[in-house]
Amino acid sequence: METKNKAVLDSRVPKGSLEDKWENHKFSMNLVNPNNKRKFDVIVVGTGLAGASAAASLGELGYKVKAFTFHDSPRRAHSIAAQGGINAAKNYKNDGDSVYRLFYDTIKGGDYRSREANVHRLAEVSTNIIDQATAQGVPFAREYGGLLDNRSFGGAQVSRTFYARGQTGQQLLLGAYSAMMRQVAAGSVELHTRAELLDVVTKDGQACGIVTRDLLSGEVIPHSAHAVVLATGGYGNVYFLSTNAMMSNVTAAWRAHRRGAFFANPCYTQIHPTCIPASDDFQSKLTLMSESLRNDGRIWVPEAFDDSRPAHEIPENERDYYLENRYPAFGNLVPRDVASRNAKNVVDQGHGVGPLKNGVYLDFSAAVERDGQDAISAKYGNLFDMYESITGENPYEVPMRIYPAIHYTMGGVWVDYNLMTTIPGLYAIGEANFSDHGANRLGASALMQGLADGYFVLPYTIGDGLADQLGNPAVSTDDPVFTNAVSAIEDETAKWLSINGTRSVDYFHRELGRLVWDHIGMSRNKEGLEKAVSEIRALKEEFYSDVRVLGSADTLNLSLEKAGRVSDFFELAELMAHDALEREESCGGHFREEHQTPEGEAQRDDDNFAHVAAWEWNGKDSLQTRHVEKLDFENVTLTQRSYK
Amino acid sequence: MSEIITVNLKIWRQEGPEKSGYFENYTQKITTEASFLEMIDLLNEDLNNQGLEPISIESDCREGICGTCGVMINGQAHGPRKATTTCQLHMREFSDGDEIVIEPFRAISFPVIRDLVVDRSPFDQIIESGGYISVNTGAASDANLIPVPKEAADQAFDAAACIGCGACVAACPNSAAQLFTSAKLAHMASLPQGQPERWKRTEMMVGTMEEFFGSCTNHGECHEACPKEINLDFIAFMNRDYMKAKVKNRALSGQR
Ligand SMILES: Cc1cc2nc3c(=O)[nH]c(=O)nc-3n(C[C@H](O)[C@H](O)[C@H](O)COP(=O)(O)OP(=O)(O)OC[C@H]3O[C@@H](n4cnc5c(N)ncnc54)[C@H](O)[C@@H]3O)c2cc1C
Ligand code: SF4
Ligand code: FES
């Protein structure tokens, strides 16, 4: 495949020292004066943490915002499910945390594959997020003195994670949602629910609007604006089984990609080490047990192969606490990729536990003995209940069983320092972009990034692009760029209904997911990836000729909605395989079996791969072009990660 | 341990908001390890394979937190298990040969969209009318400047745990939304940050609630159905605040 290093990928990182870049940039950006803001229409697609916080903040500034979600209410966005917490460099615990340390941990945790300037800015604004959320009434956990409590999370040696029991995402989203609803009441945000983005519209290379389908009436509707923001979440459901909500998908990002937005690092996907193992063949999704459990739970497997004794009958000296043994400094708190791969190794070697031998133990007996059941239940009660309601087992009595599952996608739409994509006027925020986590995201950093983007970065940077457009009316929706896009979507919907094959959309999604998990999952190799490309293509052909979507286009039709989403997953899956093939190194969540140290740890190749790979769409039947954005490290020294 | 059971399903089908609905019978074989929604997934797969339109039913997180799912199962909102959403219900709650009647959440203000899917948007309108603390982005002071007693923070959290599923309304003989509304009000009124707008918020949200929903006659069915076990005391709390808000001109309270 052709690799290009065109000047198109200008990251627009400001000059100056790392600490000053954001301040300088805020000062030097073009501003839109308060009275002019109402002359600009801004579309925000997605109302999860990133989208709701952006829509609220833009509305407060005076922009005319239109917000879209395919959910029936903004409060349903996948962000609601985040459990563990949100990081911020507050140093309330006086344990040596600082903006620089959060920056450093994030760069290192990401295996040196993210942009220094973006990550530093993220760490800088992290503290404002906690202030903002607290002022909104987010009920973070508190100590008896009434001040905020913290806990530690994987990949960090300080306690910087703020949390609201095991429902941090829910509480933060309700905060952002209520801030946005306040703007809806004020008339500055117009909310469109059950509206799915199916195309991004550009004119003369500039984003000028979107096309949505009303999921109740089926009507395909054009919307124009001066700028479009995608906050549509990650693509973990390409694996079918993941911890993501059932409706999460890549469609908005992918349709933007097909219109010219480069897609960066699609092979960087994160496996979460602590999920409940699958129990049968028609499992519909996997459930995460928050990683915070690793603070008090000890991970082990029986030393003997294929040991079928119940956990309590296995004596201490016949247990392998493999993380504590291999990584004495971090123990059970090693980063997610390290924890996941180690779990896979011990299970593959035959030490797995549970009826299907597909898990490892996460054991709380020592913690219960040390702190008492009440203390443990105050911290994790709802997670323990959830585990019991799913598995029928009580984790106070028998150890939990866990296994890694797909959880988060670091890859996404390429954006510059202003969070703008390669299409001028089109922005991407939250999990939908590729920006801050490099090849691996640290726990409790996604909520931080989504809210940083939405509250504190985009509302500034969007003005920089809009200032030039002052006086230009938004493109009319009668313009052929819109009418053509609308009829193309109408044709696409009609096409799904006319195939009338023999198998359901879910069948194809499940099969695709299996291929992606087997070959582009926790560890990858050349042969498997090449096989993935050809098998994905073959299955895609079958999908286009044999899928059966019933019903009509002018009512609520859930299979019809899914058909479009699954077809985008097919195209994405193929790109993931190409991206993983081209990246001849192991880094973070991308583990190439050909590139490992003698001890089986990931082996980076900084000379050849300290870069972002951003892919350009070249049409349906052509291979995509791989562009490269070199990553310059001026402040940290690249070292092989070690958590020993 | 897991076993295979056969259940007889009676499911509400309705093509659209204006169409009249009817019950359709199905039988489904399923392992007791499966979740209730996985059982419906399998049924839908079979229907699709036979060329019959699948049943419309919504879900998203399947972890009991997003509030998207929710149907009446044998007359109970979210089914038989206490403190459990429809998506968290497992087939181990049922036995071989059971009849399971599945209907949409029924309430005048939640019209049926299709089959088991209803429109719960009035909830968003209640929030829009005042369910927020007015603080613009960037205007907040350091989070630790205002200590909040742990008990208050915990109470706020208990109330804020509501997932907006609508089971309380569906379970109420009057289709009242008191539990939902009072949960949001109590969340904010428990915190110092929520005080400045407390009285206005109460008046506005209660007013909007009454526009859409029936009135509360203290049956307590809402609490029984609520998957998050939101406390009935919050309703009393809301009523008290509403009285106070109405009686006094609370806009001037800061000066007294
Ligand atoms: C189970 C779980 C637990 C997690 N726990 C944590 C944690 O403890 N800490 C942490 O930091 N992170 C956590 N994460 C990750 C984090 O929750 C997500 O990365 C983050 O919430 C994503 O937010 P978002 O706003 O980018 O997207 P989302 O919340 O996914 O929102 C996407 C929005 O886009 C809309 N949308 C999507 N496509 C379209 C379309 N085509 N048209 C219209 N609307 C569309 C959706 O309706 C939705 O409103 C967790 C993730 C999972 C799966
Ligand atoms: S109060 Fe309970 S039943 Fe009502 S919407 Fe909230 S969570 Fe659902
Ligand atoms: S699907 Fe989210 S609560 Fe049931």
Side-chain angles (χ1 to χ4, degrees):
Chain A
M1 202 152 305
E2 195 185 1
T3 297
K4 285 190 184 166
N5 198 350
K6 276 203 292 188
V8 280
L9 282 184
D10 179 1
S11 64
R12 300 214 282 170
V13 169
K15 300 262 171 299
S17 70
L18 188 60
E19 295 74 28
D20 297 335
K21 283 181 196 289
W22 179 228
E23 274 311 311
N24 292 347
H25 190 61
K26 279 196 284 189
F27 183 71
S28 61
M29 270 187 292
N30 293 318
L31 290 180
V32 179
N33 91 41
N35 292 329
N36 285 333
K37 289 202 172 88
R38 74 173 83 95
K39 297 180 186 151
F40 290 111
D41 296 306
V42 179
I43 285 175
V44 178
V45 189
T47 54
L49 281 178
S53 58
S57 307
L58 292 169
E60 289 161 9
L61 286 171
Y63 291 109
K64 269 166 61 194
V65 181
K66 278 185 174 186
F68 294 83
T69 166
F70 59 45
H71 284 100
D72 68 320
S73 163
R75 66 183 296 149
R76 315 258 186 246
H78 167 59
S79 295
I80 201 99
Q83 302 171 349
I86 176 167
N87 288 329
K90 280 283 196 190
N91 194 29
Y92 282 162
K93 289 279 173 184
N94 196 28
D95 57 359
D97 199 13
S98 63
V99 167
Y100 193 81
R101 186 179 292 279
L102 176 54
F103 155 77
Y104 181 81
D105 286 352
T106 308
I107 289 273
K108 176 184 173 202
D111 226 357
Y112 307 98
R113 291 295 174 264
S114 44
R115 233 182 248 151
E116 279 188 343
N118 283 55
V119 175
H120 197 272
R121 174 176 66 190
L122 175 66
E124 284 172 56
V125 303
S126 67
T127 57
N128 304 357
I129 297 171
I130 302 305
D131 299 339
Q132 188 65 32
T134 305
Q136 288 167 348
V138 169
F140 284 123
R142 288 179 185 266
E143 298 168 341
Y144 281 99
L147 302 180
L148 294 170
D149 192 18
N150 291 119
R151 59 185 172 202
S152 59
F153 238 65
Q157 286 168 310
V158 292
S159 272
R160 63 160 74 97
T161 305
F162 294 79
Y163 63 102
R165 292 196 201 151
Q167 283 127 275
T168 317
Q170 177 196 29
Q171 296 308 322
L172 288 168
L173 181 62
L174 293 180
Y177 156 72
S178 63
M180 182 176 74
M181 293 313 278
R182 176 172 153 244
Q183 294 308 305
V184 172
S188 56
V189 173
E190 186 182 297
L191 178 62
H192 299 253
T193 56
R194 295 195 191 265
E196 178 166 26
L197 178 150
L198 290 179
D199 207 353
V200 169
V201 183
T202 62
K203 182 163 179 160
D204 305 326
Q206 171 92 21
C208 64
I210 61 171
V211 172
T212 60
R213 180 168 175 273
D214 179 315
L215 298 180
L216 299 186
S217 69
E219 198 186 344
V220 179
I221 307 170
H223 306 270
S224 80
H226 295 91
V228 175
V229 182
L230 300 182
T232 45
Y235 53 86
N237 276 353
V238 65
Y239 291 85
F240 186 76
L241 281 184
S242 84
T243 62
N244 285 18
M246 303 292 287
M247 281 159 60
S248 300
N249 68 81
V250 76
T251 289
W254 197 255
R255 307 265 163 133
H257 176 51
R258 298 213 305 206
R259 290 288 185 177
F262 290 8
F263 203 97
N265 302 334
C267 79
Y268 289 167
T269 55
Q270 180 168 78
I271 317 273
H272 197 290
T274 53
C275 303
I276 303 179
S279 65
D280 52 45
D281 278 348
F282 45 85
Q283 182 100 21
S284 58
K285 72 159 289 200
L286 296 170
T287 301
L288 171 81
M289 288 286 105
S290 168
E291 175 166 44
S292 60
L293 293 169
R294 288 202 275 147
N295 276 312
D296 288 296
R298 298 182 67 197
I299 294 176
W300 64 275
V301 289
E303 260 177 6
F305 294 103
D306 212 11
D307 193 333
S308 294
R309 286 176 292 175
H312 69 269
E313 284 176 20
I314 302 176
E316 236 1 76
N317 62 356
E318 292 177 33
R319 300 175 174 193
D320 180 9
Y321 293 90
Y322 56 90
L323 289 180
E324 295 173 18
N325 296 339
R326 293 189 68 171
Y327 308 96
F330 280 74
N332 294 302
L333 290 176
V334 292
R336 295 177 168 177
D337 53 328
V338 180
S340 298
R341 254 192 327 275
N342 277 280
K344 177 175 159 58
N345 286 344
V346 293
V347 169
D348 287 353
Q349 287 160 13
H351 300 283
V353 300
L356 303 179
K357 301 272 180 219
N358 59 352
V360 300
Y361 285 130
L362 178 62
D363 195 338
F364 292 90
S365 47
V368 169
E369 212 162 284
R370 187 187 64 221
D371 302 339
Q373 180 155 334
D374 288 350
I376 295 301
S377 125
K379 273 192 191 158
Y380 310 114
N382 70 318
L383 296 170
F384 279 36
D385 292 348
M386 185 150 104
Y387 182 85
E388 184 169 5
S389 89
I390 291 171
T391 61
E393 291 174 359
N394 176 354
Y396 294 107
E397 283 159 18
V398 291
M400 283 187 180
R401 286 175 291 113
I402 54 166
Y403 196 65
I406 279 290
H407 177 59
Y408 184 84
T409 53
M410 283 75 68
V413 182
W414 185 89
V415 288
D416 65 14
Y417 189 73
N418 277 349
L419 304 180
M420 191 165 83
T421 69
T422 49
I423 301 178
L426 179 70
Y427 297 77
I429 61 176
E431 193 175 339
N433 74 22
F434 88 110
S435 68
D436 299 351
H437 308 293
N440 176 50
R441 172 176 72 79
L442 293 182
S445 284
L447 302 182
M448 170 174 71
Q449 181 231 330
L451 290 177
D453 289 359
Y455 283 132
F456 297 109
V457 179
L458 183 88
Y460 292 100
T461 59
I462 203 168
D464 197 31
L466 286 171
D468 305 337
Q469 290 191 54
L470 190 64
N472 302 348
V475 176
S476 155
T477 51
D478 296 331
D479 192 287
V481 290
F482 278 106
T483 49
N484 292 341
V486 167
S487 37
I489 296 300
E490 286 167 347
D491 294 347
E492 186 199 324
T493 342
K495 181 195 77 187
W496 295 122
L497 292 168
S498 69
I499 296 173
N500 213 5
T502 64
R503 294 188 184 272
S504 71
V505 177
D506 276 346
Y507 165 84
F508 286 101
H509 189 186
R510 190 183 290 274
E511 292 300 308
L512 172 68
R514 245 177 243 175
L515 283 177
V516 184
W517 176 249
D518 287 347
H519 302 301
I520 327 174
M522 239 185 297
S523 69
R524 299 129 188 220
N525 60 52
K526 184 157 190 284
E527 194 194 347
L529 290 167
E530 282 168 349
K531 197 161 157 205
V533 172
S534 62
E535 292 187 0
I536 291 167
R537 282 189 192 156
L539 188 65
K540 183 168 76 176
E541 287 316 308
E542 213 184 304
F543 175 64
Y544 287 138
S545 59
D546 194 31
V547 72
R548 176 187 254 173
V549 182
L550 298 163
S552 66
D554 56 5
T555 59
L556 179 70
N557 188 334
L558 300 169
S559 333
L560 179 62
E561 293 169 22
K562 274 191 235 160
R565 295 173 196 161
V566 171
S567 93
D568 293 336
F569 277 142
F570 269 105
E571 291 178 358
L572 165 73
E574 191 180 328
L575 186 66
M576 286 168 65
H578 287 301
D579 190 45
L581 268 171
E582 294 289 314
R583 190 167 281 279
E584 288 275 3
E585 65 161 351
S586 293
C587 58
H590 170 64
F591 189 78
R592 279 287 299 266
E593 288 161 12
E594 299 91 330
H595 304 285
Q596 48 182 312
T597 62
E599 300 83 49
E601 302 292 336
Q603 177 85 60
R604 287 198 326 264
D605 175 355
D606 294 331
D607 293 338
N608 295 303
F609 288 98
H611 63 230
V612 176
W615 296 82
E616 179 183 9
W617 175 263
N618 289 319
K620 229 173 158 26
D621 302 309
S622 316
L623 289 179
Q624 306 201 17
T625 309
R626 183 177 192 264
H627 297 276
V628 159
E629 177 201 337
K630 198 170 159 309
L631 294 168
D632 297 312
F633 293 93
E634 292 165 359
N635 300 276
V636 299
T637 330
L638 278 62
T639 53
Q640 200 66 33
R641 281 191 318 170
S642 168
Y643 291 92
K644 296 253 173 191
Chain B
M1 279 282 89
S2 72
E3 54 172 318
I4 307 284
I5 58 172
T6 302
V7 286
N8 301 310
L9 306 168
K10 238 176 119 175
I11 301 181
W12 185 259
R13 305 294 313 251
Q14 181 172 340
E15 272 180 37
E18 310 300 330
K19 304 281 169 61
S20 49
Y22 53 93
F23 279 106
E24 185 84 55
N25 296 320
Y26 307 92
T27 49
Q28 186 63 43
K29 257 178 122 148
I30 188 76
T31 130
T32 49
E33 282 291 299
S35 74
F36 179 84
L37 290 178
E38 283 164 357
M39 185 269 296
I40 306 267
D41 290 345
L42 274 185
L43 171 64
N44 273 339
E45 185 91 22
D46 290 347
L47 290 177
N48 204 82
N49 290 344
Q50 296 165 38
L52 302 170
E53 261 190 77
I55 298 149
S56 298
I57 178 167
E58 285 186 304
S59 72
D60 199 20
C61 72
R62 296 205 176 186
E63 291 187 6
I65 192 74
C66 72
T68 306
C69 66
V71 291
M72 303 298 284
I73 301 170
N74 291 337
Q76 282 176 293
H78 289 305
R81 202 180 138 107
K82 222 179 142 35
T84 302
T85 54
T86 302
C87 61
Q88 292 174 299
L89 192 64
H90 279 70
M91 294 309 290
R92 56 179 99 87
E93 302 295 324
F94 300 94
S95 312
D96 195 37
D98 275 1
E99 181 184 74
I100 309 179
V101 182
I102 308 172
E103 298 167 84
F105 276 177
R106 295 201 189 276
I108 296 187
S109 31
F110 290 170
V112 172
I113 291 171
R114 190 180 173 83
D115 297 340
L116 303 171
V117 179
V118 300
D119 175 6
R120 288 167 290 192
S121 55
F123 272 7
D124 285 328
Q125 299 191 35
I126 294 179
I127 301 296
E128 184 188 328
S129 70
Y132 43 75
I133 288 170
S134 299
V135 49
N136 280 2
T137 302
S141 54
D142 186 273
N144 263 353
L145 267 186
I146 307 176
V148 179
K150 188 171 183 326
E151 298 70 24
D154 285 348
Q155 170 168 308
F157 185 96
D158 289 342
C162 162
I163 59 173
C165 63
C168 47
V169 175
C172 175
N174 308 326
S175 296
Q178 253 75 4
L179 197 61
F180 168 82
T181 312
S182 67
K184 182 50 53 186
L185 284 168
H187 158 207
M188 294 187 161
S190 305
L191 295 169
Q193 289 84 352
Q195 300 313 313
E197 295 165 294
R198 178 168 178 174
W199 314 108
K200 178 161 162 256
R201 177 185 311 120
T202 307
E203 275 189 82
M204 299 300 288
M205 287 177 68
V206 171
T208 309
M209 172 187 82
E210 285 176 343
E211 248 175 66
F212 289 98
F213 295 92
S215 41
C216 173
T217 44
N218 295 318
H219 283 266
E221 299 284 346
C222 51
H223 173 73
E224 289 304 310
C226 175
K228 299 294 143 183
E229 302 188 292
I230 298 293
N231 201 323
L232 275 178
D233 293 349
F234 293 138
I235 298 184
F237 185 105
M238 169 175 81
N239 291 341
R240 254 188 338 261
D241 267 15
Y242 186 68
M243 289 300 287
K244 285 189 206 162
K246 281 286 178 205
V247 172
K248 294 185 184 170
N249 179 1
R250 288 282 161 176
L252 300 175
S253 60
Q255 294 160 30
R256 275 181 235 153

